[in-house]
Amino acid sequence: MPRLCRAEPWAEAERNQIPLWTPVMLGAGIAAWFVLPDPRAWEAVMLAAGGVGLAAATLSDGGRVMRAIGLGAMLVVAGVLLAWARAESVRAPVLTRPVIADMIAEVETAEPLAARQIVRLMLRPVRARDGRGRMLNLPPRIRISLPQEDAPVGLGPGAWVRLRARLMPPAGPVAPGGYDFARAAWFQRIGATGRGFAPVRILHQADQSPGLRQRLSQRITGLLPGSAGGIAAALATGDVGAIAQDDAEAMRRAGLAHLLSVSGLHITAVVGIVMVLTIRLLALWPWLALRVRLPLVGAAAGAFAAVGYTWLTGAEVPTIRSCVAAMLVLAALAMGREAMTLRLVAAGALIVLIFRPEALVGASFQLSFAAITAIVALHEHPAVRRWLGPHPDWRWAALRHLGALLLTGLVVEAALMPIAVYHFHKAGLYGALANIVAIPWTTFIAMPLEMIALLLEPMGLGGPFWWLLGQALGLLLKLAHAVSAMPGSVVALPVASGWAFGLAVAGDCGSRFGGPGGDGSGRPR
C-alpha cells in the first residue's frame, strides 16, 4: 500500500480538518436514501459501504488514512439507516385520490396568513362522508386553507368544526427538480391537503386562546400595518404571513429573503443585545461586579434568550442550527477558546442531521449551512486574518472591514448560487451589494428598535420606537424594490440535474475542508 503510505504525512498535517468530514459522510448516506429509488438500492449502498469499512479495518496498520476511510464508510451506512428509520417512524396513511369530504374534525393549529387573506388549518378528522353520503377513511392529519372571511369566531387549536372541503393527495414536484411538497408532507405526517368551503360550523370552541407566538404577531401587525409590520413580526416570531406578495418577491429578487427567516443573523443579534444589556446593567452594582464574572452571567442570559427566541419562532431548522451554534460559541467563550470555527459548524450540522435527517434535502438547511460554512472558512484563512488584524489608523481599519464585508458577501453569493439554481432555477446578481446595506441595517438598527419597543410596550411607552421601526423597515423595503427593479437582478437558468448538483456540493466541501494545511503543523486552515 505505497500510495496510502505516501498519504499519511498529508493526513497527519490535516488531522484537525478530517473530523469536519463527519457530517459530510453522514449526509452522504442520508442523501443516498433520498436519491435512490427503493429498499434494494438502499441495502446495496449499505452493503458496499459496510464492505469498504470492514476492508479498511482489516487492512489498517494504525495509520490515519485507513481509519478515516473506515469511519467515513460506517458514517454512510449510519446515514442510510438514520433516514430510513426516520421515514418509517413518521409513516402515516396518505390520501390516494381527490375527494370532496363533509367532515367533523378537531383543529390542531390555525395559522392566519393575512397577506393571502386565508387561514391555514391543520385538522384531525373524526368522521367524514363523501358527496353521496358514504363513509370516508381520511388520513389522520390533513391541511386545508380557508378564506379569511369564512373563518368563524372561536376557530383555534382544540376546536371541533364541521366543514366541507376538497381534498387531494400532497402534490409532488410541478417540474423535474422542483419543490417536492409530498416528501415534506410525509415527514410532517400530512396525508392530504385542500381547500375548505363555507359554511364552517363550530361544534366546540377552542379550549385555549391563541398561543404567545400568534398573539405577539397580531400585536405587532396591529401596531405596524402593511408589510413593515409583517417584517417586524417575522423578525420577532418567524411569522411571514403578513408580508404582501409583491414585497416578499422583491426581497427574494434582491437576495434579502434570508432576513425573513430567523437564522444566524437574528440569533446573533438577540444574544449580543441581551449579553451587552445584562453586563452593562449588572456592572452598575459594584459589589456584584467585583465578585462575579459578569461576562459569564451575560453569556448565560444570552443562552436563555437564544433558546427562548428559538422556541418562540417555531424552532425551524435554520433557527435550531443557529441556536446550537450560539450555545457552542458561548461555551467556547466561557472556556476561553476560539469561538467561531468550522468544527462548531460541523457540530451544528451533525446535531440537526441526527434528529432531523430529512432537513438535508431542504433548501433551508443547505442555504443556511453553506452560508455559515463559507463565512467561517473565509475568515479562518490566514490572509483574511491578517487583513482584519489591528491597524494604527482607524480609517484604514474601517475601510478594510468594509472591504471584508463586500468580500464575504461575494463569497456567500458564490457558495449559495448552485443551491439557488438547483432549487429555484434562478440566481440573483446584486445580492452581495444589497446585503452590505441590509444586514447592518437590520442587525444594528431594526432589531434593537424592535426589542426596545417590545420591552416598553407593556408600559405604554413603545409608540415612538414602533414609529422608528416602521421607518427603518420601510427603507429596507425601498432598498429591496430598488435592487429587484434593476436590469438583470435575477437570471433564470435551466433545471440542473441531481448529479450536477451533487458534484457541485462535493467540490464545495472539498475546497473548504480538504485543502492543504500549509505548514504541516496540524493547525486548521
Side-chain angles (χ1 to χ4, degrees):
M1 308 194 328
R3 292 182 179 273
L4 293 180
C5 292
R6 288 198 294 268
E8 284 298 331
W10 169 85
E12 179 63 26
E14 292 290 328
R15 62 183 181 274
N16 287 330
Q17 299 292 97
I18 292 175
L20 300 178
W21 288 90
T22 300
V24 176
M25 301 311 295
L26 185 70
I30 295 171
W33 187 89
F34 280 99
V35 170
L36 297 176
D38 52 44
R40 186 171 296 179
W42 306 334
E43 292 167 357
V45 168
M46 287 192 293
L47 288 173
V52 171
L54 291 175
T58 303
L59 300 174
S60 176
D61 56 355
R64 291 184 184 272
V65 173
M66 296 306 295
R67 279 187 292 170
I69 292 174
L71 182 58
M74 292 298 103
L75 285 169
V76 171
V77 175
V80 176
L81 288 173
L82 191 63
W84 199 343
R86 171 68 174 162
E88 290 298 322
S89 69
V90 298
R91 176 181 291 275
V94 177
L95 193 68
T96 57
R97 60 183 178 85
V99 297
I100 301 291
D102 186 356
M103 73 181 96
I104 295 174
E106 180 183 1
V107 179
E108 182 180 325
T109 61
E111 181 184 7
L113 302 178
R116 297 170 58 184
Q117 297 185 338
I118 63 172
V119 178
R120 183 173 289 165
L121 301 176
M122 195 72 72
L123 302 177
R124 295 186 180 275
V126 177
R127 186 169 64 251
R129 296 180 181 275
D130 64 9
R132 299 181 180 180
R134 296 174 298 188
M135 295 296 296
L136 278 176
N137 289 322
L138 294 180
R141 198 164 188 248
I142 63 177
R143 194 185 80 177
I144 69 166
S145 297
L146 188 68
Q148 205 169 46
E149 61 271 15
D150 294 338
V153 177
L155 185 65
W160 284 49
V161 297
R162 180 167 187 171
L163 77 162
R164 190 176 181 85
R166 183 176 186 273
L167 301 176
M168 300 183 65
V174 296
Y179 176 64
D180 190 352
F181 175 73
R183 181 176 62 200
W186 175 273
F187 287 96
Q188 298 176 47
R189 310 191 75 175
I190 298 173
T193 61
R195 187 172 182 85
F197 307 109
V200 178
R201 293 177 53 197
I202 300 288
L203 304 180
H204 174 72
Q205 292 206 358
D207 297 329
Q208 53 186 331
S209 60
L212 175 61
R213 182 188 185 196
Q214 187 173 339
R215 294 200 307 272
L216 186 57
S217 294
Q218 291 173 350
R219 180 65 176 169
I220 292 172
T221 53
L223 292 166
L224 285 177
S227 292
I231 296 175
L235 295 176
T237 67
D239 182 3
V240 298
I243 303 174
Q245 293 296 309
D246 58 335
D247 291 327
E249 179 61 23
M251 295 285 284
R252 284 191 290 269
R253 291 175 62 89
L256 304 179
H258 65 95
L259 298 176
L260 307 178
S261 173
V262 178
S263 56
L265 173 67
H266 309 79
I267 293 286
T268 302
V270 168
V271 171
I273 293 170
V274 170
M275 283 186 65
V276 170
L277 288 176
T278 302
I279 293 172
R280 296 296 184 187
L281 290 175
L282 293 180
L284 298 176
W285 187 5
W287 182 91
L288 185 68
L290 293 173
R291 291 166 174 80
V292 177
R293 289 183 62 190
L294 294 187
L296 288 181
V297 179
F304 280 112
V307 173
Y309 189 44
T310 300
W311 168 77
L312 179 64
T313 54
E316 299 294 335
V317 168
T319 320
I320 293 174
R321 185 268 304 165
S322 303
C323 184
V324 171
M327 297 297 103
L328 294 173
V329 167
L330 292 173
L333 290 174
M335 294 185 295
R337 302 287 298 274
E338 186 177 2
M340 289 302 297
T341 65
L342 287 174
R343 288 196 176 212
L344 181 147
V345 179
L350 192 61
I351 291 172
V352 173
L353 291 178
I354 289 173
F355 290 100
R356 291 191 182 181
E358 70 274 14
L360 177 75
V361 294
S364 176
F365 176 93
Q366 295 171 12
L367 291 169
S368 60
F369 273 100
I372 190 62
T373 303
I375 292 170
V376 176
L378 173 67
H379 286 263
E380 281 192 350
H381 195 281
V384 177
R385 285 177 178 267
R386 289 193 300 270
W387 176 261
L388 294 177
H391 193 276
D393 188 345
W394 67 269
R395 292 167 295 185
W396 177 243
L399 184 61
R400 290 197 301 178
H401 278 79
L402 183 61
L405 185 61
L406 176 60
L407 177 61
T408 301
L410 293 174
V411 169
V412 169
E413 287 293 322
L416 299 186
M417 191 169 291
I419 302 172
V421 170
Y422 179 74
H423 287 284
F424 311 119
H425 318 307
K426 57 185 179 181
L429 300 180
Y430 308 124
L433 297 175
N435 276 287
I436 288 177
V437 177
I439 290 177
W441 186 259
T442 304
T443 306
F444 301 113
I445 304 295
M447 292 194 69
L449 282 173
E450 183 163 6
M451 183 172 289
I452 294 171
L454 288 171
L455 290 174
L456 297 180
E457 182 61 25
M459 297 176 282
L461 303 176
F465 293 96
W466 287 120
W467 182 85
L468 290 172
L469 177 62
Q471 299 303 308
L473 295 179
L475 291 174
L476 181 65
L477 283 170
K478 287 182 180 179
L479 172 66
H481 281 283
V483 173
S484 66
M486 294 173 67
S489 60
V490 173
V491 177
L493 296 168
V495 177
S497 68
W499 290 109
F501 177 63
L503 289 173
V505 172
D508 199 25
C509 292
S511 67
R512 295 176 195 173
F513 299 154
D519 57 4
S521 64
R523 292 192 296 269
R525 290 181 6 200

